[in-house]
Amino acid sequence: MTIDKFNFAGKKAFVRVDFNVPLDENFNITDDTRIRAALPTLKKILADGGSVIIGSHLGRPKGVADKFSLKHIVKHVSDLLGVEVQFANDCMGEEAAVKAAALQPGEVLLLENLRFYAEEEGKPRGLADDATDEEKAAAKKAVKESQKEFTKKLASYADCYVNDAFGTAHRAHASTALIAKYFDKDNKMFGYLMEKEVKAVDKILNDIQRPFTAIMGGSKVSSKIEIIENLLNKVDNLIITGGMTYTFTKAQGGQIGLSIVEDDKLDLALDLMKKAKEKGVNLVLAVDAKIADSFSNDANTKFCAVNEIPDGWEGLDIGPKSEEIFAEVIKNSKTILWNGPTGVFEFENFTHGSRTVGEAIVEATKKGAFSLVGGGDSVACVNKFGLADGVSYVSTGGGALLEAIEGKILPGIAAIEE
């Protein structure tokens, strides 16, 4: 069932959203992108004459904690929706059940943080550091058994289920995957945001216009190994940048000074280069770097060859020659995936490489390329540089997007589609 074809009139919808938004020390929301992204889905349900029960997590609490309470966002959600949002101080218990049962068409109820319960993630908490394997197994079994009741209770509040939380689609949590089993295929669906995410990933994986270029940044090869290996079967060009650059550079015998490196992954870097060559993939690495004499925006800087970084200096961004090479590859592409900046873009003096990549992607998109930007830092990049409107799609799901591109089946998606 698709959300457009479903009539919510007189129905209560449990909508799993990702309202895991950043809050400052006074509990003010510093970036409400995730809340705004879910508004079309929530407004469609209300416009049909349905009522909404919102479920979300906030942070990674290890139990009930005020700083992770969703009560802090109630007013902002109310203002954005134009409806006074009711709040249940617990996602379980009598209050939640009573308030859910009393909901009238056009009304909205926000449940307290689902992760206040270990059952949401299905992982035991509070185990002693010296717990035995038997104790760990028993605790895990107990949580799994109580997870069924937790999930069943959440499902009992509503007539239908809508998953609009792509950011958590890679987790087999109670509210993102298990709950869908309590609704038949005609009463469970993706929200608008989730639909767009699924289509964007599908386009990158299954509807490729060539040349296909992936730009992979990030500090560690180890955290990107599976996605890089999967992409080598799909892309024409793979630009590896960010901190990973220096592992590849050192693996080839280069001097990298104090630059970040995974010394235990040098053989892996060489192996990836070999695989790329065997598969006919153009693996593009930086040839020069903007280096600094300390990890600071105010450090002394200069440019040098990426494999000739002096002792006491470290690479914090790509240099102008690399910018030119990367931009040329990107501008001649028809499908583009960007995950990870070229340098420490949080420091203003080391944003130029990432900005250049972003601008090249925008230029390629104007010429008809499909461009998908995903992963927290890349999204922050395009937002910081005001380029988000110039790319085809900006994904809200970091880990979920990466796992989808790795070729993994995401539990939150499978639960709706089965």
Side-chain angles (χ1 to χ4, degrees):
M1 176 59 67
T2 63
I3 187 168
D4 260 338
K5 290 180 180 172
F6 194 87
N7 185 358
F8 291 92
K11 293 187 181 292
K12 294 186 175 87
F14 185 101
V15 186
R16 178 52 158 101
V17 296
D18 182 3
F19 284 178
N20 184 26
V21 292
L23 303 172
D24 65 17
E25 63 278 4
N26 297 314
F27 303 114
N28 296 308
I29 299 169
T30 56
D31 181 354
D32 67 357
T33 304
R34 286 178 169 165
I35 298 175
R36 289 180 182 277
L39 293 179
T41 292
L42 302 177
K43 286 182 174 177
K44 149 73 175 167
I45 297 165
L46 297 176
D48 277 2
S51 51
V52 178
I53 299 153
I54 300 174
S56 181
H57 70 283
L58 178 64
R60 296 186 175 185
K62 298 300 179 205
V64 179
D66 182 72
K67 72 174 182 175
F68 293 121
S69 173
L70 287 170
K71 70 184 179 188
H72 303 303
I73 72 167
V74 173
K75 184 181 183 308
H76 194 69
V77 177
S78 299
D79 291 345
L80 290 177
L81 261 182
V83 173
E84 187 179 339
V85 174
Q86 301 173 43
F87 183 67
N89 287 303
D90 193 351
C91 60
M92 292 281 110
E94 192 177 346
E95 185 194 351
V98 168
K99 285 189 172 180
L103 270 190
Q104 297 300 306
E107 293 185 341
V108 182
L109 172 66
L110 174 63
L111 302 177
E112 181 57 286
N113 194 337
L114 297 164
R115 286 190 185 170
F116 281 176
Y117 285 83
E119 285 81 358
E120 164 65 359
E121 298 178 271
K123 295 176 184 171
R125 291 176 184 163
L127 278 171
D129 292 338
D130 58 353
T132 64
D133 288 345
E134 288 81 3
E135 286 169 335
K136 288 176 185 173
K140 190 174 181 181
K141 185 183 177 188
V143 169
K144 287 291 182 189
E145 284 175 357
S146 57
Q147 189 180 45
K148 289 176 188 170
E149 288 307 308
F150 176 84
T151 311
K152 190 176 180 182
K153 183 74 184 284
L154 289 178
S156 73
Y157 300 150
D159 305 304
C160 54
Y161 172 70
V162 182
N163 190 344
D164 213 23
F166 182 73
T168 59
H170 57 315
R171 309 289 188 207
H173 291 171
S175 67
T176 60
L178 306 184
I179 191 173
K181 293 179 171 61
Y182 291 89
F183 299 90
D184 63 37
K185 61 179 173 32
D186 293 328
N187 288 286
K188 60 182 176 182
M189 68 216 78
F190 298 133
Y192 287 121
L193 174 64
M194 191 82 154
E195 269 186 356
K196 286 194 289 188
E197 295 276 3
V198 171
K199 281 177 185 168
V201 170
D202 187 62
K203 195 163 177 63
I204 282 283
L205 292 178
N206 303 312
D207 184 22
I208 300 165
Q209 305 300 310
R210 299 193 178 279
F212 178 11
T213 297
I215 306 118
M216 301 302 299
S219 58
K220 294 183 176 180
V221 184
S222 53
S223 64
K224 298 285 172 80
I225 172 63
E226 288 179 331
I227 187 169
I228 289 172
E229 290 196 321
N230 193 45
L231 284 170
L232 285 175
N233 296 314
K234 298 179 182 297
V235 300
D236 302 290
N237 306 297
L238 178 59
I239 297 173
I240 290 184
T241 186
M244 291 191 286
T245 300
Y246 308 104
T247 298
F248 280 84
T249 302
K250 186 171 182 179
Q252 296 173 85
Q255 302 300 309
I256 61 166
L258 293 173
S259 304
I260 187 171
V261 65
E262 287 180 285
D263 282 316
D264 60 337
K265 295 293 182 286
L266 301 180
D267 288 342
L268 173 61
L270 292 174
D271 185 48
L272 289 171
M273 293 178 76
K274 182 166 168 267
K275 281 182 181 172
K277 194 171 182 182
E278 287 168 357
K279 292 174 185 291
V281 174
N282 177 29
L283 184 67
V284 186
L285 292 163
V287 294
D288 59 349
K290 186 173 187 179
I291 62 173
D293 61 358
S294 69
F295 188 78
S296 162
N297 190 50
D298 304 321
N300 294 307
T301 64
K302 60 184 177 182
F303 295 106
C304 73
V306 74
N307 57 359
E308 294 175 5
I309 300 174
D311 291 344
W313 292 71
E314 59 187 309
L316 296 186
D317 198 6
I318 57 174
K321 291 177 186 169
S322 302
E323 287 180 2
E324 209 174 295
I325 293 166
F326 289 9
E328 186 65 20
V329 171
I330 292 164
K331 286 174 189 175
N332 289 308
S333 302
K334 290 292 181 204
T335 303
I336 302 163
L337 168 68
W338 184 21
N339 174 261
T342 65
V344 188
F345 79 103
E346 296 88 347
F347 295 157
E348 199 56 43
N349 286 331
F350 303 98
T351 59
H352 202 270
S354 298
R355 186 189 292 274
T356 301
V357 163
E359 288 171 349
I361 294 172
V362 169
E363 197 172 317
T365 308
K366 277 182 188 162
K367 292 194 295 185
F370 176 80
S371 51
L372 172 59
V373 177
D377 285 345
S378 302
V379 173
C381 265
V382 293
N383 288 333
K384 179 174 185 173
F385 306 144
L387 301 174
D389 291 340
V391 301
S392 305
Y393 194 72
V394 179
S395 174
T396 59
L401 176 71
L402 293 186
E403 290 200 14
I405 293 164
E406 281 171 25
K408 293 181 179 175
I409 302 296
L410 305 189
I413 292 175
I416 299 292
E417 291 181 336
E418 64 188 16

